Amino acid sequence: MKDHYPHKKRNLYCTTDHMFQKIIPSCLILIITIFYIIYHLQNEGMIWTEHTSFKQQDSISTNIHNDVSQSTETDRELRIQQGIAQEILRFHVIANSDSEEDQALKLKVKDAVTRALQPKLDKASDITEARNILSEELYHLEELSDKIIQENGFTYTASASIEKGYFPLKVYGDLTLPPGEYEAVRIELGSATGRNWWCIMFPPLCFVDATYNVIPESSKEELKYVLTEEEYDSIFSNKNDKEKVKVKVSFKLFSFLDKWIDNK
Protein backbone atom coordinates (compact mmCIF):
# COMPACT_ATOMS: atom_id res chain seq x y z
CA MET A 1 0.00 0.00 0.00
CA LYS A 2 1.33 3.39 -0.93
CA ASP A 3 1.70 6.15 1.50
CA HIS A 4 -0.67 8.81 0.45
CA TYR A 5 0.84 11.37 2.88
CA PRO A 6 4.59 11.03 2.69
CA HIS A 7 5.14 14.72 3.24
CA LYS A 8 3.30 14.58 6.60
CA LYS A 9 5.60 11.87 7.91
CA ARG A 10 8.59 13.81 6.90
CA ASN A 11 7.22 16.92 8.61
CA LEU A 12 6.50 14.91 11.78
CA TYR A 13 10.02 13.54 11.86
CA CYS A 14 11.43 16.95 11.29
CA THR A 15 9.31 18.43 14.07
CA THR A 16 10.34 15.70 16.55
CA ASP A 17 14.00 16.11 15.73
CA HIS A 18 13.68 19.82 16.13
CA MET A 19 12.01 19.45 19.55
CA PHE A 20 14.73 17.09 20.80
CA GLN A 21 17.34 19.49 19.56
CA LYS A 22 15.80 22.20 21.74
CA ILE A 23 14.85 20.14 24.80
CA ILE A 24 18.14 18.31 25.31
CA PRO A 25 20.31 21.46 25.51
CA SER A 26 17.74 23.11 27.75
CA CYS A 27 17.75 20.13 30.12
CA LEU A 28 21.52 20.13 30.18
CA ILE A 29 21.59 23.83 30.96
CA LEU A 30 18.99 23.32 33.72
CA ILE A 31 20.94 20.42 35.24
CA ILE A 32 24.18 22.35 35.12
CA THR A 33 22.47 25.35 36.69
CA ILE A 34 21.04 23.21 39.52
CA PHE A 35 24.43 21.65 40.22
CA TYR A 36 26.03 25.09 40.21
CA ILE A 37 23.47 26.44 42.69
CA ILE A 38 23.93 23.42 44.98
CA TYR A 39 27.70 23.74 44.81
CA HIS A 40 27.52 27.45 45.49
CA LEU A 41 25.21 27.01 48.48
CA GLN A 42 27.48 24.34 49.93
CA ASN A 43 30.47 26.63 49.65
CA GLU A 44 28.54 29.47 51.25
CA GLY A 45 27.57 27.14 54.06
CA MET A 46 31.18 26.11 54.54
CA ILE A 47 32.31 29.71 54.61
CA TRP A 48 29.64 30.59 57.19
CA THR A 49 30.51 27.52 59.25
CA GLU A 50 34.21 28.35 59.17
CA HIS A 51 33.50 31.98 60.08
CA THR A 52 31.26 30.90 62.93
CA SER A 53 33.84 28.39 64.06
CA PHE A 54 36.54 31.07 64.14
CA LYS A 55 34.26 33.32 66.20
CA GLN A 56 33.48 30.47 68.59
CA GLN A 57 37.17 29.63 68.92
CA ASP A 58 37.95 33.28 69.59
CA SER A 59 35.21 33.40 72.24
CA ILE A 60 36.50 30.20 73.83
CA SER A 61 40.06 31.56 73.86
CA THR A 62 38.87 34.80 75.50
CA ASN A 63 36.92 32.89 78.15
CA ILE A 64 39.88 30.64 78.86
CA HIS A 65 42.14 33.70 79.20
CA ASN A 66 39.68 35.35 81.61
CA ASP A 67 39.31 32.15 83.63
CA VAL A 68 43.08 31.76 83.86
CA SER A 69 43.47 35.41 84.97
CA GLN A 70 40.77 35.04 87.60
CA SER A 71 42.21 31.73 88.75
CA THR A 72 45.69 33.26 89.01
CA GLU A 73 44.40 36.21 91.07
CA THR A 74 42.39 33.87 93.31
CA ASP A 75 45.43 31.67 93.86
CA ARG A 76 47.50 34.74 94.72
CA GLU A 77 44.92 35.98 97.26
CA LEU A 78 44.70 32.52 98.84
CA ARG A 79 48.49 32.27 99.04
CA ILE A 80 48.72 35.67 100.74
CA GLN A 81 45.95 34.83 103.22
CA GLN A 82 47.55 31.52 104.13
CA GLY A 83 50.91 33.22 104.60
CA ILE A 84 49.37 35.77 106.96
CA ALA A 85 47.50 33.05 108.87
CA GLN A 86 50.74 31.17 109.53
CA GLU A 87 52.22 34.14 111.39
CA ILE A 88 49.37 35.52 113.51
CA LEU A 89 47.09 34.37 116.32
CA ARG A 90 43.66 35.94 116.59
CA PHE A 91 41.73 36.50 119.81
CA HIS A 92 37.94 36.35 120.03
CA VAL A 93 35.59 36.86 122.98
CA ILE A 94 32.07 35.74 122.06
CA ALA A 95 29.25 37.16 124.16
CA ASN A 96 26.41 35.08 125.57
CA SER A 97 23.90 37.13 123.56
CA ASP A 98 23.44 40.53 121.92
CA SER A 99 21.73 42.05 124.96
CA GLU A 100 23.34 45.23 126.34
CA GLU A 101 24.24 43.44 129.58
CA ASP A 102 25.94 40.49 127.85
CA GLN A 103 27.79 42.76 125.42
CA ALA A 104 29.04 44.95 128.29
CA LEU A 105 30.21 41.85 130.16
CA LYS A 106 32.07 40.66 127.07
CA LEU A 107 34.18 43.83 127.11
CA LYS A 108 34.95 43.44 130.83
CA VAL A 109 36.16 39.89 130.24
CA LYS A 110 38.23 41.10 127.30
CA ASP A 111 39.89 43.81 129.41
CA ALA A 112 40.74 41.38 132.24
CA VAL A 113 42.12 38.71 129.89
CA THR A 114 44.29 41.07 127.83
CA ARG A 115 45.75 42.63 131.02
CA ALA A 116 46.63 39.16 132.31
CA LEU A 117 48.19 38.00 129.04
CA GLN A 118 50.22 41.08 128.11
CA PRO A 119 53.29 40.45 130.30
CA LYS A 120 53.33 36.77 129.37
CA LEU A 121 53.14 37.33 125.60
CA ASP A 122 55.86 39.98 125.75
CA LYS A 123 58.25 37.05 126.23
CA ALA A 124 57.16 35.33 122.98
CA SER A 125 59.60 35.80 120.10
CA ASP A 126 57.54 33.93 117.51
CA ILE A 127 54.13 32.39 116.97
CA THR A 128 55.21 28.97 118.26
CA GLU A 129 56.22 30.40 121.63
CA ALA A 130 53.03 32.47 121.75
CA ARG A 131 50.93 29.38 121.02
CA ASN A 132 52.69 27.40 123.78
CA ILE A 133 52.20 30.19 126.32
CA LEU A 134 48.51 30.54 125.47
CA SER A 135 47.95 26.77 125.57
CA GLU A 136 49.31 26.71 129.13
CA GLU A 137 47.11 29.67 130.09
CA LEU A 138 43.76 28.37 128.82
CA TYR A 139 42.66 27.00 132.20
CA HIS A 140 43.57 30.27 133.93
CA LEU A 141 41.72 32.24 131.24
CA GLU A 142 38.57 30.25 131.98
CA GLU A 143 38.96 30.83 135.72
CA LEU A 144 39.49 34.56 135.22
CA SER A 145 36.50 34.83 132.87
CA ASP A 146 34.25 32.91 135.28
CA LYS A 147 35.32 35.25 138.07
CA ILE A 148 34.35 38.33 136.04
CA ILE A 149 31.04 36.70 135.12
CA GLN A 150 30.16 35.93 138.75
CA GLU A 151 31.23 39.36 139.98
CA ASN A 152 28.74 40.91 137.56
CA GLY A 153 25.84 38.74 138.75
CA PHE A 154 25.63 36.20 135.89
CA THR A 155 25.36 32.44 136.35
CA TYR A 156 26.70 31.08 133.08
CA THR A 157 30.33 30.02 132.63
CA ALA A 158 33.15 30.52 130.11
CA SER A 159 35.21 28.14 128.00
CA ALA A 160 38.61 28.87 126.44
CA SER A 161 40.24 27.10 123.50
CA ILE A 162 42.71 27.47 120.66
CA GLU A 163 41.29 26.30 117.37
CA LYS A 164 41.28 26.93 113.65
CA GLY A 165 38.21 28.21 111.87
CA TYR A 166 36.99 30.24 108.93
CA PHE A 167 36.62 33.97 109.49
CA PRO A 168 35.10 36.57 107.14
CA LEU A 169 36.91 39.75 106.14
CA LYS A 170 37.64 41.86 109.25
CA VAL A 171 38.75 45.46 109.62
CA TYR A 172 40.94 46.31 112.61
CA GLY A 173 41.72 50.04 112.59
CA ASP A 174 43.51 50.70 109.31
CA LEU A 175 44.31 46.99 108.99
CA THR A 176 42.12 44.61 106.97
CA LEU A 177 42.44 40.85 107.37
CA PRO A 178 41.32 38.86 104.31
CA PRO A 179 38.73 36.12 104.79
CA GLY A 180 39.98 32.61 105.33
CA GLU A 181 41.04 30.07 107.93
CA TYR A 182 42.93 31.35 110.98
CA GLU A 183 44.06 30.02 114.33
CA ALA A 184 42.43 31.83 117.22
CA VAL A 185 42.15 31.91 120.99
CA ARG A 186 38.41 31.76 121.67
CA ILE A 187 36.68 32.60 124.92
CA GLU A 188 33.01 31.68 124.72
CA LEU A 189 30.69 33.15 127.33
CA GLY A 190 27.55 31.16 128.16
CA SER A 191 25.73 30.09 124.97
CA ALA A 192 28.14 32.21 122.87
CA THR A 193 25.44 33.36 120.44
CA GLY A 194 26.19 37.10 120.62
CA ARG A 195 28.53 39.38 118.70
CA ASN A 196 32.22 38.89 119.36
CA TRP A 197 35.08 41.23 120.16
CA TRP A 198 38.27 40.41 118.32
CA CYS A 199 41.87 41.47 117.88
CA ILE A 200 45.26 40.04 116.93
CA MET A 201 46.80 38.35 119.94
CA PHE A 202 50.17 37.74 118.29
CA PRO A 203 51.93 39.86 117.25
CA PRO A 204 50.36 41.66 120.23
CA LEU A 205 47.95 44.23 118.78
CA CYS A 206 45.36 43.71 121.53
CA PHE A 207 47.31 45.85 123.96
CA VAL A 208 47.35 49.14 122.07
CA ASP A 209 45.09 52.18 121.70
CA ALA A 210 41.70 51.31 123.17
CA THR A 211 39.85 53.04 120.34
CA TYR A 212 41.54 50.78 117.73
CA ASN A 213 41.07 53.46 115.09
CA VAL A 214 44.72 53.37 114.03
CA ILE A 215 47.36 50.69 114.44
CA PRO A 216 50.46 52.25 116.10
CA GLU A 217 53.68 52.28 114.12
CA SER A 218 55.33 50.05 116.73
CA SER A 219 52.72 47.36 116.09
CA LYS A 220 53.10 47.76 112.34
CA GLU A 221 56.83 47.18 112.74
CA GLU A 222 56.10 43.92 114.54
CA LEU A 223 53.86 42.84 111.66
CA LYS A 224 56.59 43.80 109.16
CA TYR A 225 58.94 41.53 111.07
CA VAL A 226 56.73 38.42 110.74
CA LEU A 227 55.06 39.05 107.35
CA THR A 228 56.48 39.28 103.85
CA GLU A 229 56.35 42.64 102.07
CA GLU A 230 53.52 41.37 99.83
CA GLU A 231 51.51 40.11 102.81
CA TYR A 232 52.06 43.33 104.77
CA ASP A 233 51.06 45.56 101.83
CA SER A 234 47.90 43.50 101.27
CA ILE A 235 46.47 44.15 104.74
CA PHE A 236 47.17 47.89 104.93
CA SER A 237 45.42 50.15 102.42
CA ASN A 238 45.31 53.93 102.25
CA LYS A 239 42.25 56.07 101.65
CA ASN A 240 42.86 56.34 97.92
CA ASP A 241 42.83 52.57 97.56
CA LYS A 242 39.54 52.38 99.42
CA GLU A 243 38.03 55.05 97.19
CA LYS A 244 39.15 53.09 94.12
CA VAL A 245 37.40 50.02 95.48
CA LYS A 246 34.18 52.00 96.02
CA VAL A 247 34.31 53.43 92.50
CA LYS A 248 34.95 49.99 91.04
CA VAL A 249 32.02 48.45 92.92
CA SER A 250 29.70 51.31 91.93
CA PHE A 251 30.72 51.00 88.27
CA LYS A 252 29.98 47.28 88.28
CA LEU A 253 26.60 47.90 89.92
CA PHE A 254 25.55 50.48 87.33
CA SER A 255 26.77 48.23 84.51
CA PHE A 256 24.61 45.43 85.86
CA LEU A 257 21.56 47.72 86.10
CA ASP A 258 22.07 48.95 82.55
CA LYS A 259 22.16 45.40 81.24
CA TRP A 260 19.09 44.47 83.28
CA ILE A 261 17.12 47.45 81.93
CA ASP A 262 18.15 46.65 78.36
CA ASN A 263 16.87 43.09 78.75
CA LYS A 264 13.48 44.28 79.94
Side-chain angles (χ1 to χ4, degrees):
M1 179 179 278
K2 291 183 179 180
D3 188 358
H4 296 286
Y5 307 99
H7 65 283
K8 288 187 178 180
K9 284 187 177 182
R10 285 196 301 270
N11 290 341
L12 178 61
Y13 293 147
C14 292
T15 303
T16 304
D17 291 341
H18 184 68
M19 288 176 63
F20 275 109
Q21 288 174 359
K22 286 188 175 181
I23 290 173
I24 292 174
S26 299
C27 290
L28 288 174
I29 292 172
L30 180 61
I31 292 170
I32 292 171
T33 303
I34 291 172
F35 275 109
Y36 175 78
I37 292 172
I38 293 172
Y39 176 78
H40 183 70
L41 288 176
Q42 284 179 338
N43 283 345
E44 285 294 326
M46 289 175 65
I47 292 171
W48 181 85
T49 302
E50 289 175 0
H51 179 65
T52 304
S53 178
F54 283 134
K55 290 181 68 176
Q56 289 174 344
Q57 289 176 2
D58 184 60
S59 176
I60 292 170
S61 298
T62 302
N63 290 337
I64 291 174
H65 176 73
N66 290 338
D67 290 343
V68 169
S69 298
Q70 291 175 0
S71 176
T72 302
E73 181 61 23
T74 301
D75 291 343
R76 175 180 173 276
E77 291 173 356
L78 179 61
R79 173 175 53 78
I80 289 174
Q81 185 276 322
Q82 291 175 342
I84 295 170
Q86 290 175 0
E87 299 296 341
I88 69 170
L89 271 172
R90 297 172 66 142
F91 177 47
H92 291 254
V93 182
I94 302 96
N96 178 64
S97 73
D98 282 336
S99 69
E100 291 185 8
E101 295 81 8
D102 283 337
Q103 288 294 313
L105 178 63
K106 171 192 72 178
L107 297 179
K108 291 180 180 179
V109 171
K110 177 267 297 182
D111 289 338
V113 168
T114 52
R115 281 196 301 268
L117 288 176
Q118 182 174 4
K120 298 180 183 296
L121 287 176
D122 283 343
K123 301 175 183 178
S125 59
D126 57 39
I127 191 170
T128 301
E129 288 186 10
R131 187 185 295 112
N132 292 337
I133 291 171
L134 291 167
S135 297
E136 294 174 357
E137 291 294 320
L138 289 179
Y139 177 75
H140 300 295
L141 296 182
E142 286 184 354
E143 282 190 330
L144 178 58
S145 299
D146 285 340
K147 180 182 177 182
I148 302 299
I149 292 171
Q150 292 171 7
E151 289 176 352
N152 285 270
F154 294 88
T155 57
Y156 51 77
T157 58
S159 64
S161 63
I162 300 177
E163 56 188 73
K164 286 186 176 181
Y166 178 85
F167 295 94
L169 182 142
K170 286 285 188 178
V171 178
Y172 181 82
D174 54 348
L175 176 153
T176 301
L177 279 185
E181 190 173 78
Y182 292 88
E183 191 173 18
V185 177
R186 292 170 56 89
I187 296 182
E188 300 181 355
L189 307 180
S191 61
T193 57
R195 296 188 305 275
N196 77 97
W197 179 92
W198 79 280
C199 72
I200 298 176
M201 180 69 77
F202 184 87
L205 273 65
C206 292
F207 318 115
V208 295
D209 182 9
T211 62
Y212 302 106
N213 289 326
V214 178
I215 303 295
E217 289 301 320
S218 58
S219 297
K220 290 182 179 180
E221 288 299 320
E222 294 207 38
L223 285 171
K224 282 183 180 179
Y225 180 75
V226 299
L227 301 179
T228 66
E229 183 177 354
E230 184 182 36
E231 292 164 356
Y232 179 86
D233 290 341
S234 72
I235 62 177
F236 286 102
S237 59
N238 56 41
K239 185 176 180 181
N240 290 333
D241 291 335
K242 292 179 180 178
E243 290 300 324
K244 288 178 183 177
V245 170
K246 290 179 182 178
V247 170
K248 186 175 182 181
V249 171
S250 299
F251 178 79
K252 286 187 176 180
L253 177 61
F254 283 117
S255 297
F256 170 79
L257 290 175
D258 288 340
K259 289 181 181 178
W260 184 79
I261 291 170
D262 289 339
N263 290 332
K264 287 296 181 180

